[in-house]
Structures are given as C-alpha cells and as structure tokens.
Amino acid sequence: MNTVNYGSVEKNPQLFSFFAENKISLGGWVVRPGLRVAKFDNNRYLLEPRLNAVLNFQNGFKLQAAWGKYLQYIVSMNTQDIELNQFLDYYYPLEEGKAPSLSYHYMFGAEKKIDFQNSLSFDLYYKNIARTYTFDLLHDQYEVSRFSDRIVAGQGRSYGVELMWKGSFDQFSGWASYGLSRSTRSFPHIMDGKEYDYDYDRRHSIKFVMTYQATKRISYSTSFVAQSGTPRSIENSLQLFYMYDPLSGEMIYSPQYINDQKNSVRMPWSVYLDLGLRKDVVSGFGKNLADFFRASDSYLTVNVYNALFFYRNILYYIPVSGITKMITLGDNYFPIISAGYTIKF
C-alpha cells in the first residue's frame, strides 16, 4: 500500500537477499569474487557482482583494488531545505516497479609497512551514481496524490583520497588520517540539472586516535576530529507573495526568503577533542564483583567529551537577510564528563 491520507503514509515492502563470496589465493594474489542477489517486493531478482583483490609483496608492500555494483531500494526525502526539518532525515521505500538506485564503486589502495610496528596507507575511490532519487516536495499537491509521484530521478558522483598512518612507539599507539573528498548530485528540477555539492559532502577530514599505556593497569587515550561543514541552501533574497483577502477586500502579502542556488553555503567546521582514562580493577569491590560473575576482566573508565568547547551539532540555522550568511544554533557546546565500570566476559 502506498497512499497519503490526512498526513499518514503506509508502505509495507519486503526485501529478500543473500550474498556469496569465495576466496582464491594464487601466490601473492588474494582475490575475493562475490555476488549479492536481491528481490524487492514483487520485482524480479537483481544481481550485484563484487570483486576485490590484494597483491602482497615480500617487502611489506601491498596493492589493493575493488569494484562493485550496488543497488538501493529506499530514497531520502531530503527535507533539510525545509526549515522545520533541518535536523531530521526521512527515508521512504521505492514503490513496486520502480528501478532501484544504482551505483558503481571503484577503489584502489596501497599500503607499506615502515617497520614492524608502523605502516602507511594511501587509498583512492570513485563512485559513479548512475541513478538516484530525491523528492520534489514542492510539487503541486493537487497534481499528485501519492508520495511516489513526487520522486525525481537524477545522478551523482563521489570521489576522494585518504592518507593514513597506523602504528606504535614505546608506550604510544594509534592512528592518524587525512581525507579529501567531494560528493555531488544533479536533478532536472534543481538549477535546471546543474551539478551541486551533496547535502552530506565534507571536503576535508582530519582524524587521529592515540593511546598511552602509562602502566600495566592504567592507560590514557585521546581522539581528535576536524571536519568541513556540510553545505546548505541559505536564502539570500526576499520575495513578496500577494493574495486577495475576501473578508477585507484588500490585497495582503507574505514575505518569503528565497535562493536560486542549491547548497551554496557551508555550515561551520566540526572540531572536537575527547579524552579518556582506563584503569584495570585488580582488588576491592570491583574485582570481587567481576569474580562473582566469572568475568575475565573489569575496569574503570573516565571520559571527557568535547574538551575544546568547539564541537557544535548544528540543529538549526537562521538566514541573515540580504547576504549568504547565517546564525547557527545547536547543542554540544560544552564538555561532557562520564564515568563507568565495565566487566568483560
């Protein structure tokens, strides 16, 4: 059933799928061909082949490559451009007979062991989104009666590169990475089909995780993330909509902010630093409790999230009239401290 009736939507799809993979080793080659078979509602069975391969060299260097065909049977309602829904994501299953979203993934990477404890890796990826969907929620409601009639097909692409270090030195261990990427979409009803940055595109991403084993029982940890803000469509001009009021016999108007460019402004960067402490429990009540439950391990943890006061989970923004600027509102402005006791079996 796929109907809209006084704001209620009912859709009861069924998805059946299975995946098979084989591993083939030939000298330094390791090849894994795979196949996913899926059936959505009453559609026919569709095939999604996958292939990944690794070539290992004796000097600790290896090359990796992968390819795959991927199908998706749900569509994002893409509602963040409607102000009351800026922080919500809705998804809707495709109707019976509608071709699923289709993308082809291409990946290539290289990894080199610097020494016994450290390694560097370099990865490239490209995603050709041959078919994707979005909702034209502003479509005339009197012309269509179902959500499925508001679906518009388009295309897109995603590509990027990541450099990562993993390793350890003395009591320190962890990893650090930098990623540069871009994701775009295009739909015929948005800017006449012109390509634009996707709603969840983050151009730069810097991350690291580090652990310091101070003693056999005590370790300290830290994690840092800095990411570019996601793009948004900020209204930069004002348009007046006029209408006739039959009660007063006068013309009344409603001011509306508009924008002719999709996702032309970036939200602020997300920057946060988390700190942690872990202490193994070897005596006292905590140890006795672990022994009672026959647990293999027990420890205490203390964590401080957002230690820099920088991280902002943007929930809403207010456009500034006349310019492509905004006032952002959100949560997580202040650090959060938590403590816990964990037993491990």
Side-chain angles (χ1 to χ4, degrees):
M1 185 181 296
N2 181 11
T3 62
V4 178
N5 183 19
Y6 297 104
S8 65
V9 180
E10 295 183 3
K11 177 73 173 171
N12 302 296
Q14 293 182 346
L15 174 65
F16 171 78
S17 67
F18 66 90
F19 180 77
E21 183 182 70
N22 188 25
K23 179 180 178 181
I24 304 172
S25 298
L26 298 171
W29 284 94
V30 178
V31 182
R32 290 185 172 89
L35 179 66
R36 182 176 186 262
V37 181
K39 178 181 175 65
F40 182 73
D41 273 4
N42 296 321
N43 294 332
R44 60 187 176 88
Y45 286 95
L46 297 177
L47 306 180
E48 301 172 56
R50 317 281 172 81
L51 177 68
N52 68 79
V54 178
L55 176 58
N56 295 289
F57 295 87
Q58 295 182 354
N59 60 356
F61 180 74
K62 68 178 180 180
L63 297 175
Q64 306 171 82
W67 172 87
K69 176 183 177 181
Y70 293 82
L71 300 174
Q72 180 63 265
Y73 301 92
I74 61 175
V75 54
S76 170
M77 294 186 68
N78 196 25
T79 58
Q80 64 270 22
D81 287 339
I82 299 177
E83 289 193 6
L84 292 179
N85 295 321
Q86 287 177 10
F87 55 92
L88 298 177
D89 288 325
Y90 295 98
Y91 292 89
Y92 191 76
L94 290 171
E95 67 176 345
E96 181 181 336
K98 179 76 72 172
S101 299
L102 169 65
S103 64
Y104 297 94
H105 298 201
Y106 305 86
M107 289 158 280
F108 175 80
E111 182 175 336
K112 169 64 177 177
K113 281 191 170 295
I114 302 173
D115 53 37
F116 181 74
Q117 296 177 314
N118 297 272
S119 64
L120 280 175
S121 63
F122 179 80
D123 294 286
L124 292 165
Y125 74 89
Y126 179 82
K127 181 192 297 186
N128 173 23
I129 306 172
R131 181 173 56 247
T132 185
Y133 295 101
T134 189
F135 278 90
D136 183 6
L137 297 179
L138 300 181
H139 197 290
D140 189 347
Q141 61 178 336
Y142 297 106
E143 295 182 5
V144 297
S145 60
R146 305 181 305 170
F147 269 16
S148 298
D149 294 329
R150 300 173 186 265
I151 294 178
V152 179
Q155 58 188 0
R157 54 180 179 153
S158 296
Y159 51 91
V161 59
E162 182 184 59
L163 179 65
M164 174 180 285
W165 163 83
K166 294 185 292 184
S168 61
F169 176 75
D170 290 339
Q171 286 79 32
F172 293 92
S173 62
W175 59 268
S177 69
Y178 169 73
L180 176 64
S181 63
R182 191 186 183 203
S183 183
T184 65
R185 297 292 188 275
S186 63
F187 295 94
H189 70 294
I190 299 177
M191 298 192 303
D192 297 324
K194 182 180 177 181
E195 187 179 63
Y196 63 88
D197 289 336
Y198 185 46
D199 305 317
Y200 300 100
D201 175 62
R202 292 187 183 273
R203 195 60 47 83
H204 304 278
S205 180
I206 303 170
K207 303 178 182 179
F208 77 76
V209 173
M210 188 66 64
T211 300
Y212 174 62
Q213 192 70 41
T215 67
K216 186 177 180 179
R217 296 174 49 199
I218 300 175
S219 63
Y220 301 93
S221 62
T222 180
S223 64
F224 174 82
V225 174
Q227 293 179 313
S228 299
T230 55
R232 286 293 182 268
S233 304
I234 305 299
E235 298 82 355
N236 56 11
S237 60
L238 184 67
Q239 182 173 339
L240 301 180
F241 291 87
Y242 291 88
M243 65 191 72
Y244 174 72
D245 184 359
L247 297 179
S248 64
E250 298 178 352
M251 294 294 294
I252 60 176
Y253 67 90
S254 171
Q256 298 289 332
Y257 287 100
I258 61 173
N259 183 13
D260 61 351
Q261 296 294 320
K262 171 75 171 176
N263 290 348
S264 58
V265 177
R266 289 273 174 178
M267 301 295 277
W269 275 60
S270 293
V271 181
Y272 64 91
L273 176 70
D274 298 337
L275 304 175
L277 165 68
R278 167 174 165 164
K279 180 179 180 181
D280 293 340
V281 178
V282 295
S283 62
F285 174 79
K287 176 62 175 176
N288 295 334
L289 182 63
D291 292 340
F292 175 80
F293 287 106
R294 297 184 179 181
S296 61
D297 192 13
S298 63
Y299 51 89
L300 298 173
T301 57
V302 178
N303 295 288
V304 180
Y305 302 102
N306 189 27
L308 294 177
F309 292 79
F310 282 168
Y311 178 64
R312 291 169 290 178
N313 180 28
I314 303 300
L315 299 179
Y316 197 81
Y317 63 83
I318 302 173
V320 179
S321 177
I323 55 176
T324 54
K325 297 294 183 181
M326 58 193 168
I327 300 174
T328 58
L329 303 174
D331 61 2
N332 291 352
Y333 285 94
F334 302 101
I336 298 175
I337 301 176
S338 69
Y341 168 75
T342 303
I343 56 177
K344 182 179 179 180
F345 296 92

